[in-house]
Amino acid sequence: MNKIESEQYNKICEANLIFYKQTADQYESTETCLVDKKVQAGLQKDLENIVGFLRQNKTKDVYTVLDACGGSGNVATKLVRMKNLNVTLCDQSQELINIFLKKIAGQNVICQVVNTEISTHLSLAPQKYDLIVFSSALHHLENYEAVLKLAADCLADHGFIFTAFDPIQWKGPARLIMRLDYLTFKLLHHSKDVIPAVRRKIGQCLTKFSKRLPAKDQVNWGEIAEYHVDKGINDFELVRAMEQKLLTTVWHRRETKARYFIFELLLKCCGCKTNFTLLLQKKPC
Ligand SMILES: C[S@@+](CC[C@H](N)C(=O)[O-])C[C@H]1O[C@@H](n2cnc3c(N)ncnc32)[C@H](O)[C@@H]1O
């Protein structure tokens, strides 16, 4: 049983489990936040800066770090190469964890791996963390605010929470441009799924109309798994809620990101922001 005991939260967890069981390899080989060199370099730089802050603020020999919903280790593979970090990756998908384990095999690095639902791990965590990272994760959690509050309770004094690659609430032309960007991605990388996706959409409309439950193969697990991708996250409200949990905002950046240069350019020309990244730090009690 997950720590957050709500039917909807559990339903989204289950959709994530099914979705990544079906698509783990595809995720690893096509997802922009994993394969785009510029995005990777930006993530590496952010992580190095944050680990630098950790080392400035504290006098410990080793800092404990959690890659929460770490998947195939986009973040953990970078952290395990940095000195004086004791890294844990937690994810509920065994398929993605297996990819991570293959990536670090034979590299002479150490990482604890926990195959568990994140709110459960945070509520049972045996230690306080100096840094907890959520990369492309919040929008997969129905109640991301409750999960971040659990994470805040697991932070050591002066510890950090870093979140990246989550959508804000898209305004004006951003929604249309992001849809076109996604459609292009689907056509180029998942072309075999285009006809099944259309079938699923028609099936969904028909079942909605007849008020029946959709058959399992008509469900779009990806759409359910990325629960907040369409409506986006209210990042300002989230920051306010976290500041009430004794966290200070070190940075809150809104960014313009698309999978393809042309759509990113269009977004920039229209002055649209699409994503946000947050760095929060725990004040000592
Ligand atoms: C878009 S992937 C991001 C993976 C990785 N952090 C990255 O940056 O590539 C979302 C991840 O969240 C995990 N996930 C979703 N809901 C979860 C939950 N409730 N508990 C643990 N992991 C979860 C999925 O299994 C998946 O690995």
Side-chain angles (χ1 to χ4, degrees):
M1 173 58 84
N2 298 339
K3 172 67 186 166
I4 298 176
E5 290 165 19
S6 105
E7 201 182 314
Q8 188 65 352
Y9 185 85
N10 289 334
K11 198 176 131 196
I12 307 311
C13 288
E14 199 199 332
N16 272 275
L17 275 172
I18 299 172
F19 180 59
Y20 287 106
K21 205 183 225 336
Q22 295 169 347
T23 62
D25 289 323
Q26 200 175 49
Y27 176 78
E28 177 62 15
S29 58
T30 61
E31 186 56 38
T32 311
C33 70
L34 281 159
V35 299
D36 185 308
K37 287 199 175 109
K38 208 170 98 197
V39 175
Q40 282 287 299
L43 178 61
Q44 176 77 30
K45 195 166 153 223
D46 277 344
L47 292 172
E48 278 170 11
N49 283 338
I50 297 165
V51 171
F53 293 155
L54 268 185
R55 291 184 175 136
Q56 267 171 25
N57 282 342
K58 294 212 191 152
T59 49
K60 292 184 185 173
D61 294 331
V62 175
Y63 301 96
T64 51
V65 180
L66 175 67
D67 184 4
C69 305
S72 56
N74 191 16
V75 166
T77 47
K78 296 173 179 58
L79 293 174
V80 287
R81 292 193 190 105
M82 298 183 197
K83 285 202 179 101
N84 309 102
L85 301 185
N86 179 342
V87 184
T88 302
L89 177 145
C90 170
D91 199 282
Q92 61 171 15
S93 159
Q94 186 62 57
E95 291 74 18
L96 286 171
I97 286 179
N98 290 344
I99 296 176
F100 170 63
L101 292 175
K102 261 194 212 150
K103 282 201 267 190
I104 60 163
Q107 290 199 7
N108 204 17
V109 291
I110 297 174
C111 185
Q112 276 74 249
V113 173
V114 187
N115 180 204
T116 300
E117 196 284 314
I118 191 62
S119 70
T120 306
H121 176 69
L122 290 170
S123 55
L124 300 173
Q127 59 186 334
K128 296 274 183 193
Y129 290 103
D130 295 301
L131 168 64
I132 303 180
V133 181
F134 290 85
S135 158
S136 189
L138 297 186
H139 63 281
H140 288 256
L141 303 169
E142 186 254 342
N143 195 341
Y144 51 80
E145 190 180 309
V147 175
L148 279 188
K149 285 182 173 168
L150 287 173
D153 290 336
C154 285
L155 275 187
D157 284 349
H158 304 289
F160 293 91
I161 292 178
F162 173 52
T163 81
F165 308 124
D166 283 302
I168 61 168
Q169 295 170 330
W170 296 328
K171 299 253 165 65
R175 180 169 296 278
L176 175 67
I177 301 171
M178 291 304 277
R179 284 243 161 94
L180 291 174
D181 183 65
Y182 178 70
L183 204 66
T184 311
F185 171 72
K186 256 319 235 188
L187 287 171
L188 291 178
H189 291 287
H190 304 173
S191 52
K192 281 194 196 136
D193 190 47
V194 172
I195 293 174
V198 173
R199 268 201 218 116
R200 282 197 300 269
K201 270 275 171 243
I202 296 172
Q204 275 169 16
C205 292
L206 292 177
T207 45
K208 219 180 234 172
F209 187 68
S210 63
K211 294 189 176 145
R212 273 186 289 125
L213 283 174
K216 276 225 162 185
D217 62 351
Q218 276 178 6
V219 176
N220 184 340
W221 295 109
E223 208 171 274
I224 305 174
E226 290 202 279
Y227 188 66
H228 295 283
V229 85
D230 207 37
K231 49 187 177 306
I233 288 178
N234 185 336
D235 48 336
F236 287 106
E237 204 173 284
L238 183 62
V239 168
R240 264 196 299 278
M242 297 316 289
E243 285 177 347
Q244 282 170 6
K245 277 295 278 184
L246 287 183
L247 295 171
T248 38
T249 305
V250 181
W251 77 56
H252 174 195
R253 291 194 316 245
R254 282 187 149 198
E255 301 170 334
T256 306
K257 285 209 190 311
R259 289 180 164 90
Y260 299 99
F261 170 77
I262 183 73
F263 295 116
E264 199 164 298
L265 189 69
L266 257 177
L267 287 163
K268 283 182 179 158
C269 291
C270 300
C272 300
K273 300 286 179 194
T274 54
N275 290 7
F276 72 98
T277 151
L278 268 185
L279 182 64
L280 306 164
Q281 185 175 28
K282 187 164 185 169
K283 294 180 200 165
C285 301

